[in-house]
Amino acid sequence: LDTLPPQYRQKSTHFLSWTWGYRLSTVRETLEDWLESQQGTRAEEVFFFMCFFVNNQYRILVEQSSSGAAELGSTFESRLCRIGQVVAILDTWDKPVYLERIWTIFEQSCAIRSNTPVTMILPAAARLSLLAELQQGVEGILRVQRSLTTVDSMNARAQFPEDERLVKEFIDRHIGFDRVNNQVVSFMISFIGNVVEDHMKAGIARMKAAMSNGSIGSSDTAVSTAFKKTFFAAKHNLFSWFSVVDLPDFTEVPDEDVTV
């Protein structure tokens, strides 16, 4: 990063949560897609903290000169609080690798502890797969619902057993695995609702465009209005469908005094 001109290395605006094993094209295309959805946000205003480009991976992985989990609270959580927003890339909605890795579960637990907002995003193909599943009706919704019940942070794994042990001890001591599971499910439900909302809004926009150029007659305006009302009612029902767990009222954990 030190080789980049100053305009390309500003203060991080988002922490990027992801897992090794993703294709570079998947990460790039998913972020491009997410940026397009952020109305009023320019690409040059967004700066991601991505561990691959910031941490010295050679010393961590090859020389093993430092333990990846050695300074959990003092380093990672303070950085996360300082940045203030998390964008998490999941490879798929059905049993994502993201939820099987203890480091990404750790990142989620830190976000929950510090009340840092988390936005989950999917590659375009996975998002279309999710929509196709939901369009199957009750059976499709139940399949997506069942996929959410498989979230099990206690069984997440790490490359190095010692890191896995330390991270799990940290989670168990500071927040608990049940709370992590419940909140991750909540993030996923919010994401699914946003996917449906974006899809329906795009459909409404296409309908309006067709009306303006005469492809749909003005008599169909009432249909469009009714469609909107039906959509918002359906979105409310969707969240009810996905209430797979009773999320407790969590007590707020104050942000720690942080430095980077």
Side-chain angles (χ1 to χ4, degrees):
L1 290 179
D2 292 339
T3 64
L4 296 176
Q7 65 267 32
Y8 299 124
R9 47 185 174 94
Q10 300 293 317
K11 179 181 177 181
S12 298
T13 59
H14 300 77
F15 179 92
L16 184 63
S17 183
W18 65 296
T19 184
W20 287 54
Y22 289 172
R23 296 177 65 89
L24 177 60
S25 59
T26 297
V27 175
R28 185 185 67 246
E29 292 166 7
T30 304
L31 290 178
E32 288 175 347
D33 190 53
W34 170 81
L35 184 61
E36 289 181 3
S37 70
Q38 304 302 295
Q39 296 182 358
T41 301
R42 298 181 302 167
E44 55 268 29
E45 297 173 340
V46 178
F47 293 87
F48 286 104
F49 180 97
M50 189 173 184
C51 61
F52 179 85
F53 296 105
V54 179
N55 296 338
N56 190 321
Q57 303 296 340
Y58 178 82
R59 287 193 168 85
I60 293 174
L61 299 178
V62 180
E63 294 183 351
Q64 297 185 19
S65 60
S66 63
S67 172
E71 299 178 354
L72 293 178
S74 62
T75 301
F76 181 81
E77 281 198 272
S78 61
R79 180 178 294 117
L80 188 64
C81 292
R82 187 78 171 267
I83 295 172
Q85 297 187 75
V86 175
V87 173
I89 298 179
L90 277 66
D91 51 326
T92 180
W93 58 270
D94 187 17
K95 299 179 181 178
V97 173
Y98 181 96
L99 298 180
E100 297 175 357
R101 306 302 297 167
I102 195 61
W103 279 112
T104 44
I105 293 297
F106 167 68
E107 291 166 1
Q108 289 291 325
S109 72
C110 290
I112 295 167
R113 268 172 50 88
S114 59
N115 295 316
T116 302
V118 175
T119 300
M120 292 187 168
I121 58 179
L122 280 176
R127 193 171 61 253
L128 291 174
S129 170
L130 173 61
L131 284 169
E133 195 68 44
L134 294 175
Q135 288 170 350
Q136 298 299 315
V138 173
E139 291 184 2
I141 290 175
L142 288 176
R143 279 192 290 271
V144 177
Q145 187 182 47
R146 280 193 292 270
S147 76
L148 295 181
T149 66
T150 64
V151 176
D152 185 5
S153 57
M154 183 64 186
N155 287 319
R157 295 290 178 258
Q159 180 179 1
F160 301 110
E162 181 63 10
D163 280 0
E164 181 179 326
R165 183 185 67 81
L166 290 173
V167 171
K168 286 184 175 180
E169 286 181 357
F170 179 91
I171 293 174
D172 190 44
R173 182 170 64 253
H174 291 285
I175 186 170
F177 290 98
D178 286 342
R179 180 178 172 186
V180 173
N181 292 342
N182 290 344
Q183 192 61 57
V184 167
V185 169
S186 179
F187 290 150
M188 288 292 291
I189 292 173
S190 178
F191 166 75
I192 292 170
N194 289 336
V195 168
V196 174
E197 181 174 356
D198 291 344
H199 178 68
M200 299 297 281
K201 284 181 176 179
I204 292 172
R206 287 193 296 271
M207 181 178 289
K208 285 184 175 181
M211 291 169 58
S212 65
N213 63 27
S215 299
I216 297 179
S218 58
S219 60
D220 292 321
T221 302
V223 175
S224 176
T225 302
F227 180 68
K228 293 179 185 178
K229 292 180 179 179
T230 301
F231 156 64
F232 287 110
K235 184 184 178 186
H236 173 76
N237 292 336
L238 180 70
F239 278 88
S240 298
W241 266 103
F242 284 113
S243 296
V244 296
V245 291
D246 293 324
L247 298 178
D249 293 328
F250 301 130
T251 58
E252 293 187 359
V253 179
D255 293 345
E256 300 179 11
D257 187 16
V258 298
T259 57
V260 176

